[in-house]
Amino acid sequence: MKKAKIVALGKWLPERILTNVELEKMVETSDEWITTRTGIKERRIASSDITASDMAYLASKDIARNEPIDLIIVSTSTSDTIFPGTACLLSERLGLSNCACFDLSAACTGFSYALECGRRFIEAGGSKCAIIVASELTSKFINWKDRSTCVLFGDGAGAVLLKGADKGGIIGSYFNTNGKLGDILKIPAGGSKMPASLETVEKNLHTIQMDGPEVFKYAVLAMSEAIERVLSNHSLSVNDISLFIPHQANLRIINLLSKRLKISDEKMFVNLNRYGNMMSASSVVALDEAVKSGRIKEGDLILMVAVGGGFTYGATLIEW
Ligand code: UT7
């Protein structure tokens, strides 16, 4: 059976940079608070006319060119519309036909879940050439008056091209969910439970609501569990992994994870200082930058790990 292998990567980030210093003028915060509590210095914000499918297109157009793509999975929690799915809109933009398309919603863990779905399509022979995309336009779902959330998030998109290969590829994964924690990170309104109304808009219920300290605690535990399970399933140790790509939400979360699992700083990829938390796009943008900056070489073992609303979490082991 062929393994699913990432053979190309792409990303797109809005040009507009929103710095911590600018945020000081918008809410009662400081560069010092944001930097020491999160590690974030700046994030990208898309212009108001951009949609999640635009970003997905810009991230994937170069890797999709001239490829016989038969599957598109888009991870997004900020889709253009409830339906049609962003993946369907993307197939049209890319000029593709004969292509299965669907969106996947698993908050910040969404890219890992989408990659796993793509892997299983390929391994089962249901797809020969897939693009897996994460596109998150978080800025349109932020309450810009809430300092506890607006300093954390940013916009961005990333994409990978997945094909069957005899050598290398995705070799293992672990996924889990704790549905009891659904309430600590959510967008309450806009779904069937609380459809849009004057009241939901007035109360800002279409924006991200989070119990930060609870999310923080659980994020460290969940990512530790996911890493440990993948490593033990493959009789590997931390030393066998060349690079860890953790979800980019907070540098303190990443540092605690390193400390718990005795992972050296050089083996933890971090770019959240430049982008903030781009939800599911964080993992794939980080992977793209790690590959293109030479941090990942052929034959390396890479472990991606993510956690997010749901509470979803998971890890993916890749032989590059
Ligand atoms: O993708 C997964 C989703 N997200 C995450 O993983 C985020 C997880 N959580 C976190 O990263 C952290 O909990 C935060 C960065 C959100 C908050 O950091 P914290 O150290 O847990 O702070 P806190 O929420 O306990 O708040 C400490 C203080 C509070 O003031 P008082 O009550 O001590 O007077 C907050 O009101 O900091 C205050 N605060 C701020 N001060 C300045 C909260 N946000 C800000 C802010 N600027 N932006």
Side-chain angles (χ1 to χ4, degrees):
M1 187 176 64
K2 283 196 187 288
K3 292 222 162 43
K5 184 169 180 164
I6 295 172
V7 294
L9 298 107
K11 67 171 179 297
W12 186 80
L13 295 149
E15 269 177 34
R16 162 87 169 101
I17 295 173
L18 177 64
T19 64
N20 291 351
V21 174
E22 284 175 89
L23 279 164
E24 288 177 356
K25 296 181 199 114
M26 296 162 62
V27 285
E28 202 186 326
T29 191
S30 64
D31 175 38
E32 199 261 333
W33 190 96
I34 304 169
T35 306
T36 53
R37 299 284 180 131
T38 72
I40 300 165
K41 293 299 282 183
E42 57 189 43
R43 68 287 294 142
R44 302 298 179 97
I45 304 294
S47 57
S48 59
D49 57 334
I50 292 275
T51 66
S53 67
D54 291 333
M55 299 205 308
Y57 171 71
L58 293 163
S60 59
K61 67 179 171 48
D62 292 338
I63 61 168
R65 193 168 291 135
N66 301 326
E67 294 288 346
I69 291 160
D70 54 21
L71 172 68
I72 301 178
I73 309 174
V74 175
S75 159
T76 183
S77 295
T78 61
S79 53
D80 288 28
T81 51
I82 288 184
F83 67 83
T86 305
C88 306
L89 302 173
L90 178 58
S91 72
E92 175 63 13
R93 290 286 296 277
L94 292 171
L96 297 171
S97 49
N98 297 319
C99 187
C101 299
F102 67 96
D103 285 8
L104 188 148
S105 161
C108 303
T109 321
F111 178 74
S112 304
Y113 270 94
L115 191 61
E116 182 72 7
C117 289
R119 169 197 181 191
R120 292 183 189 221
F121 264 92
I122 292 210
E123 286 181 354
S127 167
K128 289 205 164 18
C129 181
I131 48 173
I132 314 299
V133 187
S135 180
E136 302 283 15
L137 229 172
T138 65
S139 62
K140 290 195 183 174
F141 296 86
I142 291 289
N143 174 358
W144 287 101
K145 293 196 169 103
D146 174 11
R147 69 176 183 174
S148 70
T149 51
C150 75
V151 303
L152 304 175
F153 294 92
D155 298 333
V160 299
L161 186 68
L162 208 57
K163 288 185 178 178
D166 297 318
K167 201 164 158 262
I170 301 168
I171 53 179
S173 62
Y174 170 78
F175 288 93
N176 204 348
T177 306
N178 185 341
K180 289 193 181 70
L181 296 174
D183 265 348
I184 64 175
L185 179 52
K186 62 182 177 184
I187 295 179
S192 57
K193 183 175 179 183
M194 213 187 282
S197 68
L198 208 54
E199 193 191 353
T200 59
V201 173
E202 275 169 3
K203 290 186 173 164
N204 263 314
L205 298 177
H206 297 273
T207 59
I208 297 173
Q209 325 269 314
M210 177 170 72
D211 178 343
E214 276 302 296
V215 172
F216 188 108
K217 232 174 16 196
Y218 194 71
V220 177
L221 296 175
M223 288 200 283
S224 301
E225 176 189 320
I227 291 175
E228 282 172 333
R229 286 295 286 270
V230 171
L231 290 178
S232 77
N233 287 349
H234 292 268
S235 307
L236 294 169
S237 81
V238 158
N239 298 334
D240 297 309
I241 304 299
S242 300
L243 192 67
F244 290 83
I245 310 234
H247 176 47
Q248 307 282 314
N250 186 320
L251 186 59
R252 288 190 297 138
I253 293 178
I254 294 176
N255 288 344
L256 275 173
L257 190 63
S258 302
K259 202 168 156 203
R260 254 178 98 92
L261 302 182
K262 299 191 172 53
I263 300 169
S264 62
D265 288 350
E266 312 82 71
K267 283 194 177 189
M268 273 291 187
F269 190 83
V270 176
N271 65 0
L272 61 82
N273 50 316
R274 288 180 285 125
Y275 303 129
N277 181 350
M278 298 182 287
M279 298 191 69
S280 69
S282 283
S283 301
V284 57
V285 169
L287 183 66
D288 174 272
E289 293 198 340
V291 171
K292 289 174 183 166
S293 64
R295 295 278 298 272
I296 298 178
K297 306 212 165 38
E298 198 179 336
D300 281 354
L301 284 182
I302 307 304
L303 221 164
M304 298 182 76
V305 60
V307 59
F311 235 88
T312 53
Y313 54 106
T316 309
L317 179 65
I318 304 172
E319 185 187 334
W320 204 257

